[in-house]
Amino acid sequence: PAPAPANASAAAPALRGARGCSPEDMAVLLNMSWGTGKGSFPRIQSDCASDSYNIFTGFDEGDDAKCLRKHVAISERCAKCWVGDAKYGVDNCKMACMFSWCGSSCMECAAGNEAQLDACVGEKTPAVKPC
């Protein structure tokens, strides 16, 4: 396989070669809404990432993982894949996502981590349509 881009998240490579999300994790995730409304997994992921970011101290990966696991019954290992995805967004998509986490410019930027996320999770993740 090709090496990960230099700006790839740190969480995904740590799990390379192993499925980050178990079949049970995926059953929970795939049973959730993949829209952009309240209670959807993408909205929970965005809210947790936002709550875990501080302009002075940066992105707290531990807080993000705790938040995800508080709202969604997934393993810590699986949560780390989604934390890596959020970190990619924080590191690469701040400007594109400044006004809307689900806007098309934000979604296009975040898609730059799709292959790494899918590799970490262990399967193709559902697409999310912009709001």
Side-chain angles (χ1 to χ4, degrees):
N7 62 359
S9 70
L15 297 174
R16 183 169 284 133
R19 182 182 181 108
C21 296
S22 69
E24 293 81 10
D25 290 327
M26 291 310 296
V28 168
L29 290 169
L30 295 175
N31 198 39
M32 297 182 74
S33 165
W34 281 81
T36 57
K38 189 172 175 80
S40 69
F41 181 73
R43 175 73 173 266
I44 291 168
Q45 183 192 20
S46 176
D47 289 349
C48 285
S50 292
D51 291 347
S52 302
Y53 180 77
N54 178 293
I55 195 165
F56 300 109
T57 59
F59 182 62
D60 187 321
E61 295 180 36
D63 281 354
D64 190 37
K66 283 181 205 165
C67 180
L68 284 172
R69 295 191 69 217
K70 176 182 173 185
H71 296 285
V72 185
I74 56 175
S75 67
E76 184 173 344
R77 185 178 180 104
C78 184
K80 285 182 180 181
C81 293
W82 298 99
V83 169
D85 190 52
K87 180 154 177 39
Y88 177 91
V90 167
D91 291 345
N92 298 284
C93 305
K94 275 193 222 73
M95 293 304 291
C97 299
M98 186 178 292
F99 298 108
S100 175
W101 72 270
C102 61
S104 58
S105 64
C106 184
M107 295 281 187
E108 288 168 14
C109 180
N113 193 54
E114 188 175 331
Q116 288 80 17
L117 175 62
D118 291 349
C120 184
V121 167
E123 65 184 74
K124 180 86 176 110
T125 54
V128 180
K129 292 182 179 176
C131 54

